[in-house]
Every structure is written in structure tokens, then in C-alpha cells.
Amino acid sequence: MENTHEAAKKIVEMIRPDLGKQAIILALSGPLGAGKTAMTKVIALELGITEDVTSPTYVLHVPYKLKMDNGQWTIDLNHLDVWRLETWDEVERLGLQKMIDDKSLIIIEWADKFEKEIKELGNIKLIWVKIEYDGEERKIEIK
């Protein structure tokens, strides 16, 4: 799959039935400039978030509210960037367990740095999104 919008729509279709029922982690990987933040922006837009979604590279975590069922309830979309983090403990200190307990949607950029630890998390729906971009062509793999 090469189109970010097309891939984002497919991801939203995959997660929509589970939103608010269990924590969902979208683990994004790919080199610098591949489009991880762009993918997050399109997913957020597809889910109805109208705020400007920005890269959390320097703040590490940006939360957004996602209104569901005509605004009757909300869940959090937590956008994390772990590129500058060196240990799993640092990731956990961002409040990851609370995000999981709250049944949030969690999007993690640079997730491949902590692939083993993320795969060992329980009580989550996990989707890996690998983005490759060579400056001309973008390839997106969802698994």
C-alpha cells in the first residue's frame, strides 16, 4: 500500500470496532521523514479530531480527545514519540500503563526501538505499521 490516506482509512476500519473497548496501540516504524506523523494526522482526521496534530518529538507525548457516538463519550488518542528515549522505563514513565488501563488509542512513533517490550504488553490490540519512503515512493505495510 502506498497512499497514506488509503492506509489510514484501512487502519481506522480495523480499529473502530474496538475503540473504547480495549487499548489499541498503533506501532509506527520507518526512517526519519517517512511519514509517521503524517500518518498520525490522517488517522486523527479520519477519527474526527479537528485539532492540529503535531509531532511529539520534543514533548514526547501529546494527548487528544476523541469523541465517539455523537459526543456521548470520549476516549484519548495518545500520540507518543520514543525516538529520543533510551530505555523502556522511560516509555513507561510517560504513563503508558494508565493509557492502556483507560482503553486509549495509543500511536507510538519509532516503535521499532521497543518492539520486544511492546509485543509483550497485555490487554491491547496491536497493529504494526511500517512506512518506507525513498524520496519518491512510499510503501506502507500494515500487520
Side-chain angles (χ1 to χ4, degrees):
M1 191 172 298
E2 297 173 13
N3 184 296
T4 301
H5 290 271
E6 191 178 300
K9 285 180 182 183
K10 180 178 180 181
I11 292 166
V12 169
E13 287 174 16
M14 293 170 71
I15 65 173
R16 193 176 297 279
D18 296 312
L19 285 171
K21 295 177 184 169
Q22 72 177 118
I24 302 168
I25 292 182
L26 301 179
L28 307 183
S29 67
L32 189 64
K36 294 178 292 295
T37 299
M39 174 65 72
T40 302
K41 288 179 180 193
V42 178
I43 290 169
L45 189 61
E46 285 292 318
L47 290 169
I49 293 175
T50 56
E51 293 175 65
D52 185 30
V53 174
T54 59
S55 173
T57 299
Y58 296 102
V59 295
L60 305 177
H61 171 222
V62 178
Y64 302 92
K65 290 289 182 194
L66 175 59
K67 293 183 178 162
M68 301 297 296
D69 296 336
N70 298 320
Q72 297 297 317
W73 55 278
T74 62
I75 64 167
D76 290 326
L77 184 163
N78 291 285
H79 186 192
L80 310 177
D81 187 319
V82 299
W83 179 64
R84 296 186 309 125
L85 303 183
E86 295 181 19
T87 66
W88 181 244
D89 185 55
E90 291 175 300
V91 177
E92 289 179 323
R93 279 187 270 161
L94 294 175
L96 184 62
Q97 189 58 54
K98 181 169 180 358
M99 294 174 208
I100 292 170
D101 292 345
D102 289 346
K103 300 177 182 171
S104 297
L105 171 57
I106 306 158
I107 300 177
I108 304 176
E109 294 191 28
W110 299 97
D112 48 317
K113 285 186 70 173
F114 299 103
E115 182 173 355
K116 177 182 173 280
E117 293 87 350
I118 292 170
K119 286 183 174 179
E120 290 175 352
L121 290 170
N123 271 347
I124 63 164
K125 177 175 186 162
L126 177 60
I127 298 172
W128 283 88
V129 182
K130 182 178 181 182
I131 306 170
E132 295 179 6
Y133 183 62
D134 63 9
E136 292 181 23
E137 185 178 24
R138 181 168 282 113
K139 292 186 181 181
I140 302 168
E141 180 183 351
I142 302 167
K143 52 183 175 163

